[in-house]
Each structure stands twice: as C-alpha cells, then as structure tokens.
C-alpha cells in the first residue's frame, strides 16, 4: 500500500522507523539530533533520519539511501539518493536544497515535502513509485530544469497508477524547462481527508505529461475534502495527455486556470458537480474542446480553436478570438449559457449542405462581436434558406462580419439579424465576390491585350507610308492603360507594357510598292480588380504583316498575329485570406485597313481610313484554390473603325525630316456573345459598344536610314476607356 503523503503523529513516525529496520535489516542507518553530518564520495550508503535542527550535507559524488528530515535541513549537491523502502527524500517542517542530484525510490515517493517544508530543486532528476513529487499540507516545492517521473505502482485508484506531481494543499512551482511525467497523470491535485483545501500550481516554460491519463487532474476522492486548485500556465509551457484531456476537474472539485504566452493542445473536461474557470491571457492559444466548463475568459491576443463541439456556461470575451474551425463534414457548435464582452468568432461553412458552424447562446448575449466567416469559392446550395450562424435567447449583443461582407461562392453575403438570431443572406442585386471579379476580368482581358499590341504594328505601317517605303528592322516599347467594365457589374483597371520588334522587306510593283514583314514580342498586363484582388496576363506573340502602297496614295494594310496568353489570378477575399488560380489559352487575330493619303500644300497630308479587325480567343476552364469553378466559351472581338489622320512633314536643314500628325476615329465593337460561367452562373463578358479614339504622334528622320517615333493615344466608350497609350520606337532602313 502506498505510504501516506504526510505524518501527523509521533507514534506514526516511530512505527515507520521500526518498520524500515525490520524490513531492511542490512541497511545502515544514521540518525542526527541537533547534529551535522557530511556525506562524501566513498562513504557507506546509509538511511538518514534528521531531528530538531540537524543538517545533512551530501557533497558531489556522495551516495545515500532514503533521507527523512523533521525540523532540519538537507543539502544535496551532485548527490545520489536511492531508496528501496519508503520515500527517497521526506521532509516534515524541514528545508531542502537540491542541485544536480538524482533522487530515486522504487518503493515510495521520490521527493515528499510535508507540512511546513520547502524544497528547492535545480538541474536534477526525481523518480518515485506511485508519485514522483508530493507536496502536502503547506509544503512548497520549486523545481528548476528538473525531470520528474511518477512510475505506475499498479494501483487503479484515483491516487495511484503513477503521477508525476501530487499536491495535497501544497504549492508547486515548475520552472526553467522542468519536465514532469506520470505514467497516469502528470499532476494530481487533491484535498486532505475531511477538509477543503487550496493548492497552487505555477508552470513556467516547462512541460507536464500524463502518459495514460490527464495532464492535470483536480479530484475529490470520496474519503477526502474538496480541493480547489489555482493553476497558472505561462511562457511556452506545454501540457500533454494520453487521454487528450489537459485539465480534468471531477468529483465536486474546483479549479481556476490562467494561461499566458503558451500553446496548449487538448481538451478541458469538467465533471458533474465540479466547477472550473479558464482564462486565456495574452498570447495564449488553446486548441481543444471543453465539456461543461463553468467560465471561459478570453483576453486580448488570445485564441481558442475548437476541435469538437464544446460547452461553456459563461463566456466572457475581452478582445480574444474563438475559431470554431469547422469545414465540410466536420462542422462545430459552441453552446454557452451567457455571452458578454467583445471578441471575434471564426465560422466555417459547408455550403453544399447549406450548413455552417454555430454559436448558440441559450440565455442572453451581450456586447459587440465580430464574425470571421471563412470565405469560399463554392456556391451556397440552390434553394437553401439563409445560413444561421448565431442563435441567442435574447440580449442586446451586436454582431458584424470582418471585411464588411462574406464571399460565399459567386456572390457577396451580408450578416442580417432576424429576431434574436443572425443569418448570412445574399446581398440584393447579385453583387459578385472578389473571386468572380478576377474570373471575369481575366477572361475579358485578351481583346484589349491584343489591340494594345496591334497598335504598334499599325504605327509601323504608318511609318512605311510616310517614309521611303524601304524595308528595315524596327522595335517599339509601349504602354497602355484601360478602365474596363466588361460584365458582372464591376469595373477594373488594366495596365499593359511590352515590346515589339520586327523586320520587313520591300517589293517593287508597276503601280506602287509592297512591303512584307514578320514581328514578335511580349507584353504584360496587370489587372487591378479592387480591394487587393489582382490578375495578370503574360502575352507572347508572333505575326505577319504587309502593306501595299499605290502611287496615287491608296494603301491596304494587313496583319495576322498568333498569341499565347498566360493568365494568373490573385484574389483577396473579404476575410483577408487569399486565393489563386491560373490557366493558359491561345488566340489568333487578323486586321485589314484601307485608306488614301492626300498630299496638300506645305507638306500637309490627310489620310482617311477604314479598318476591320477580328480576334478569336480560345475558351478555357480553370479553378481557384478556394473551390471556385470558372469556364469561358470564348473572348472574341469584331471591331470596325473609321477615321482620318492629318499631319505635316517638315524638311530639316541637315537633310532629315520631321513629321507629326493627329488622328481621330470612331470604333464599334460588334461581338456581344462572350459568356463566362462562374460556378454555373452565367455572365455576359464582352466589350460591345462604340467608342471614340484620338491620337497624336511624331517622327524624326535622323539620317537616311535611322528614324525615331512616338505616339500618344486616348479612347473612351461605353464599356472601356483608355486614359493613355504611349509608344516609343526606332527603325533602321536597309
């Protein structure tokens, strides 16, 4: 049978000493009464009993058997204490200082600190059968960087099975990376028989583990009084439990636990008739469930992540956050009797089932609270009623959603109070979510990308008409800005920059000249889709072009260009999370222009023209990593344009030439059947409508072969405005 945690009468002490001698006649005993003794290396191992102010010192390398001290002092430095009968070190009204020592008992408690006793242990190891360390009836134990092990003694009762630390109205401090392990429980807090008691446990930067049981258990066996435990966990402490319960309070016991600057994983279980409160302070994180917890307080910078459904009678939020953390097939519910304060609740959803995490307040809810609803690209199931996320029995609590909205699939949802409860309801007008904006923006970007690139080629052919008509090599750098409204009821901005280059050669004809060329290039278009959502299109292209210049001023230009578009979306959802997706597709476009150049006096010329362009862009499907599904049938364009160009040529004294011009045109986009499906919802996604275009440009002939160019353009229409388009180029004639 396990020895009692404390001795209260002198006859108990005399009986214990007698039993020690009878059961271990080979042991050598040393008794001190108001005396001092020192154990050094090589001394015979003895059992020591100290009385009435005695002092036992064990120096480095010294070895003893069990030590029992009443009203005395024990100093262990680099010592070995091994007991085959009874406790390793037992203190009553005594003081012990232990450094760099081993205390071991295979038949009792390793370190037993009884009434009016204190023990300070540094850098040591303590092992006991049944209990590693016992602190009873006012005993105080401070462990620093020390390992404690309570071995299984075969006792299935609440006090047995192997406990790292037992407290019976005693105080224990675990500091500086102390490691406490019990084969059953890590720490067990109970009461003295017939009395109620208070025990204090402080764990700082240390570790407590129950191999088969709870990390910390507070219990009231039937034969004892009611224990109350004050528990403080801080500074990187960990609690580990074989049964998954880091704090267990049963049999009518009570406990208050405060956690600061620590990450705890495990459940908190409060039995019937017991009460307990948990306070998560600054930088405290708890991942686990609670069962019948009396009160939970969450301070600022604290986080509780539920791993299962949980119950709390009173929940007080002081700026902390509770993540219910549910997802498809694993939704969670937090049930509380009352709610007060201010804090944040993280809510997960399973939209396919029309369900989500819920906070249920059976009584009154008070305070002001935020909901961080997990945004998703998947749509709410068709025909599902509004999704309830908060259910209350009344009160004046106010709830809102972080980000001002919730992105659930294609559309935006708002938090709406209905009676005493709060629901997620789709915003009227079918306002699209950021993920939808990114899909529509990317699928509509190809035509503006293609035309931005093609404008440099038209400028090149204009150079040929103003110049000598000889072939050469050329290059142009360009940039364009577009403000687009292509569908879905939202606008976005597209900024393009790129470079084109090419080479062409001239063919002489009876009534004019013909030039044929090849071109290639690259452009990047960045899309600003509002609220941190962006997209990009990297375009690589090759093309053939040609122009026929008649002697009487007529001309015909032709272009065919093949593109590969590499598209990426980076979505910022309203809850602050990000999502991404990408796809590649191809396009082919052709353009033809006819016009005539009229030469007037003083080098002035007028050149009316008509142009038709057509673009076919491959449809594609892709998905965002938030579950949104997107599909485009095409992104085609059929653009007609009429306009005129007016300019003047000046000869330079050095033999060069300076040309400048202005352009005005009216363009109309005829394609109006481009469609995009987002999660099966259909959107029109074209740029149909008319727009006006204006432009100015200049060229300077620096020599017979080298010419520099610049152009500036502006356009405005129903679905698109081009605030600016700029290109700079050079050509070198053969």
């Amino acid at each position: 049978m396990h020895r009692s945690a404390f001795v209260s009468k002198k006859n108990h002490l005399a009986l214990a000493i007698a039993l020690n001698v009878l059961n271990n006649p080979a042991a050598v005993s040393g008794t001190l009464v108001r005396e001092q003794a020192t154990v050094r290396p090589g001394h015979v191992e003895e059992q020591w009993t100290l009385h009435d102010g005695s002092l036992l010192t064990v120096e480095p390398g010294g070895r003893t058997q069990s030590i029992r001290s009443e009203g005395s002092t024990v100093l262990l430095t680099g010592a070995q204490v091994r007991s085959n009968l009874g406790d390793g070190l037992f203190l009553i009204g005594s003081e012990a200082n232990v450094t760099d020592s081993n205390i071991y008992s295979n038949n009792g408690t390793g370190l037993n600190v009884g009434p009016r006793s204190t023990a300070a242990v540094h850098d040591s190891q303590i092992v006991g059968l049944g209990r590693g360390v016992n602190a009873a009836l006012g005993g105080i134990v401070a462990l620093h960087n020390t390992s404690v092990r309570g071995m299984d003694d075969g006792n299935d009762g609440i006090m047995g099975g192997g406990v790292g630390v037992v407290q019976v109205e005693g105080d224990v401090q675990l500091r500086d990376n102390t490691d406490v392990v019990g084969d059953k429980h890590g720490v067990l807090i109970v009461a003295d028989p017939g009395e109620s008691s208070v025990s204090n446990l402080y764990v700082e930067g240390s570790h407590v583990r129950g191999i088969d049981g709870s990390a910390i258990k507070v219990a009231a066996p039937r034969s004892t009084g009611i224990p109350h435990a004050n528990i403080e966990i801080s500074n990187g402490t960990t609690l580990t439990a074989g049964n998954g319960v880091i704090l267990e309070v049963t049999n009518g016991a009570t406990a208050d636990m405060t956690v600061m600057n620590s990450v705890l994983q495990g459940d908190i279980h409060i039995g019937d008739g017991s009460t307990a409160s948990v306070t998560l302070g600054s930088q405290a994180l708890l991942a686990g469930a609670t069962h019948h917890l009396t009160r939970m307080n969450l301070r600022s910078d604290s986080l509780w992540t539920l791993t299962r459904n949980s119950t709390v009678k009173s929940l007080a939020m002081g700026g902390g956050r509770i993540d219910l953390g549910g997802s498809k097939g694993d939704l969670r519910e937090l049930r509380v009797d009352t709610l007060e304060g201010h804090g944040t609740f993280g809510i997960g959803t399973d939209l396919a089932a029309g369900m989500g995490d819920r906070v249920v307040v059976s009584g009154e809810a008070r305070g002001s609270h935020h909901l961080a609803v997990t945004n998703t690209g998947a749509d709410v199931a068709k025909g599902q009623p509004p999704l309830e996320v908060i259910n209350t029995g009344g009160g004046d609590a106010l709830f809102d959603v972080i980000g001002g909205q919730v992105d659930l699939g294609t559309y935006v949802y708002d938090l709406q109070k209905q009676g005493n409860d709060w629901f997620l309801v789709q915003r009227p007008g079918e306002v699209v979510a950021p993920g939808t904006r990114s899909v529509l923006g990317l699928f509509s970007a190809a035509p503006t990308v293609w035309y931005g690139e093609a404008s440099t080629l038209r400028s090149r052919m204009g150079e040929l008409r103003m110049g000598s008509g000889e072939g050469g090599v050329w290059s142009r750098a360009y940039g364009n800005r577009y403000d687009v409204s292509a569908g879905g009821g939202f606008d976005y901005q597209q900024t393009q920059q790129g470079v084109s280059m090419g080479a062409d050669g001239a063919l002489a004809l009876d009534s004019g000249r013909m030039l044929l060329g090849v071109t290639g290039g690259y452009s990047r278009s960045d899309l600003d889709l509002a609220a941190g959502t962006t997209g990009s299109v990297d375009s690589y292209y090759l093309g053939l072009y040609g122009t026929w210049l008649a002697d009487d001023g007529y001309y015909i230009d032709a272009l065919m260009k093949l593109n590969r578009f590499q598209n990426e979306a980076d979505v910022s959802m309203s809850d602050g999370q990000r999502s991404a997706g990408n796809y590649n597709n191809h396009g082919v476009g052709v353009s033809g222009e006819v016009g005539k150049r009229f030469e007037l006096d003083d080098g002035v010329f007028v050149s009316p023209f008509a142009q038709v362009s057509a673009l076919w862009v491959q449809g594609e499907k892709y998905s965002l990593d938030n579950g949104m599904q997107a599909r485009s049938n095409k992104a085609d364009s059929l653009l007609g344009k009429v306009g005129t160009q007016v300019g003047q040529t000046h000869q330079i004294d050095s033999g060069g030439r300076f040309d400048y011009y202005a352009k005005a045109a009216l363009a109309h986009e005829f394609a109006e059947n481009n469609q995009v499906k987002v999660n099966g919802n259909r959107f029109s996604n074209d740029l149909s409508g008319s727009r006006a275009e204006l432009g100015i440009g200049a060229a300077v002939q620096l020599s017979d072969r080298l010419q520099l160019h610049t152009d500036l353009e502006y356009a405005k229409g129903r679905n698109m405005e081009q605030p600016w388009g700029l290109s700079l180029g050079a050509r070198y004639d053969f």
Side-chain angles (χ1 to χ4, degrees), residues 211-539:
I211 294 178
D212 291 329
S214 303
I216 301 174
K217 183 170 183 176
V218 185
R222 293 179 181 177
S223 62
T224 72
I226 303 301
H228 177 82
N230 295 314
I231 304 168
E232 184 175 308
I233 307 296
S234 64
N235 295 339
T237 289
T238 61
L239 305 178
T240 307
N243 63 2
V245 179
I246 59 174
L247 175 63
E248 180 181 7
V249 185
T250 63
N251 306 111
T254 64
D256 295 311
M257 183 169 79
T258 300
V259 183
M260 295 179 293
N261 193 31
S262 294
V263 178
L264 303 183
Q265 294 184 331
D267 297 342
I268 296 173
H269 190 284
I270 312 303
D272 294 339
S274 298
T275 61
S277 70
V278 174
T279 298
L280 299 183
S282 178
Q283 299 298 314
L285 280 73
L286 169 64
T290 62
H291 179 71
H292 294 321
L293 181 62
T294 308
R295 184 176 178 86
M296 172 71 84
N297 304 293
L298 277 84
R299 303 293 186 237
S300 179
D301 298 329
S302 65
L303 171 65
W304 174 23
T305 299
L306 272 66
T307 54
R308 293 193 308 279
N309 293 345
S310 295
T311 57
V312 178
K313 291 182 180 179
S314 176
L315 177 60
M317 304 291 287
R321 174 170 173 148
I322 299 176
D323 275 344
L324 279 71
S327 59
K328 183 176 182 180
D330 187 26
L331 296 171
R332 293 160 193 162
E333 187 172 85
L334 174 61
R335 287 188 167 270
V336 303
D337 291 349
T338 60
L339 169 66
E340 60 181 315
H342 63 282
T344 301
F345 295 90
I347 303 294
T349 60
D350 180 0
L351 297 180
M355 301 173 63
D357 294 332
R358 288 202 318 161
V359 178
V360 178
V361 185
S362 60
E364 288 196 343
R366 300 190 180 279
S368 178
H369 308 278
H370 305 298
L371 301 185
V373 181
T374 301
N375 289 193
T376 176
D379 271 1
V380 175
K382 298 294 184 183
Q384 292 288 346
L387 184 65
E388 183 188 74
V389 289
I390 304 291
N391 179 286
T392 78
D396 59 2
L398 296 176
F399 295 89
D400 59 31
V401 291
I402 293 176
Q405 66 183 44
V406 182
D407 308 329
L408 299 182
T410 307
Y411 300 105
V412 166
Y413 285 70
D414 295 315
L415 185 65
Q416 184 180 99
K417 186 177 183 181
Q418 299 179 8
N420 290 328
D421 308 322
W422 299 78
F423 297 81
L424 293 178
V425 180
Q426 184 178 331
R427 183 176 296 177
E430 296 190 336
V431 178
V432 298
T436 307
R437 292 203 303 267
S438 73
V439 168
L440 297 178
L442 281 179
F443 278 143
S444 67
T448 50
V449 170
W450 196 90
Y451 286 120
E453 297 165 348
S455 66
T456 64
L457 297 173
R458 185 181 186 280
S459 296
R460 167 57 181 164
M461 289 183 282
E463 295 165 9
L464 295 173
R465 291 192 297 275
M466 289 188 293
S468 62
E470 300 298 329
V473 294
W474 58 274
S475 177
R476 277 197 173 235
Y478 55 92
N480 297 287
R481 164 68 181 269
Y482 303 98
D483 297 334
V484 183
S485 176
F490 80 99
D491 302 332
Y492 67 90
Q493 289 75 47
Q494 176 179 337
T495 303
Q496 180 186 38
Q497 54 187 342
V499 61
S500 295
M501 59 192 68
D504 42 51
L507 296 175
L509 301 176
D510 291 340
S511 58
R513 299 180 305 280
M514 177 177 288
L515 290 98
L516 300 175
V518 296
T519 183
Y522 163 80
S523 74
R524 178 182 174 88
S525 295
D526 293 305
L527 281 63
D528 181 354
L529 298 151
T533 294
T534 61
S536 64
V537 182
D538 290 297
S539 172

Side-chain angles (χ1 to χ4, degrees), residues 653-676:
D653 294 341
S654 61
R657 191 182 66 201
F658 176 71
D659 298 331
Y660 59 90
Y661 73 89
K663 180 188 72 172
L666 179 65
H668 185 82
E669 175 60 72
F670 293 93
E672 55 185 17
N673 293 319
N674 296 333
Q675 293 183 348
V676 174

Side-chain angles (χ1 to χ4, degrees), residues 537-549:
V537 182
D538 290 297
S539 172
Y540 302 86
Y541 54 91
L542 291 172
L544 301 174
Y545 64 92
T547 184
W548 172 69
L549 306 172

Side-chain angles (χ1 to χ4, degrees), residues 450 542 544 559-563 587-591 613-617:
W450 196 90
L542 291 172
L544 301 174
L559 165 68
M560 182 180 71
K561 186 162 66 74
L562 302 175
N563 283 68
V588 58
V590 295
S591 176
S613 301
L615 173 65
W616 297 269
V617 178

Side-chain angles (χ1 to χ4, degrees), residues 565-588:
F565 303 109
Q566 297 179 349
N567 309 269
E568 292 189 3
D570 184 6
V571 181
S572 176
M573 296 179 287
S574 58
D575 64 350
Q577 300 299 310
R578 304 200 73 84
S579 180
N582 62 80
Y583 68 97
N584 301 325
N585 60 345
H586 299 84
V588 58

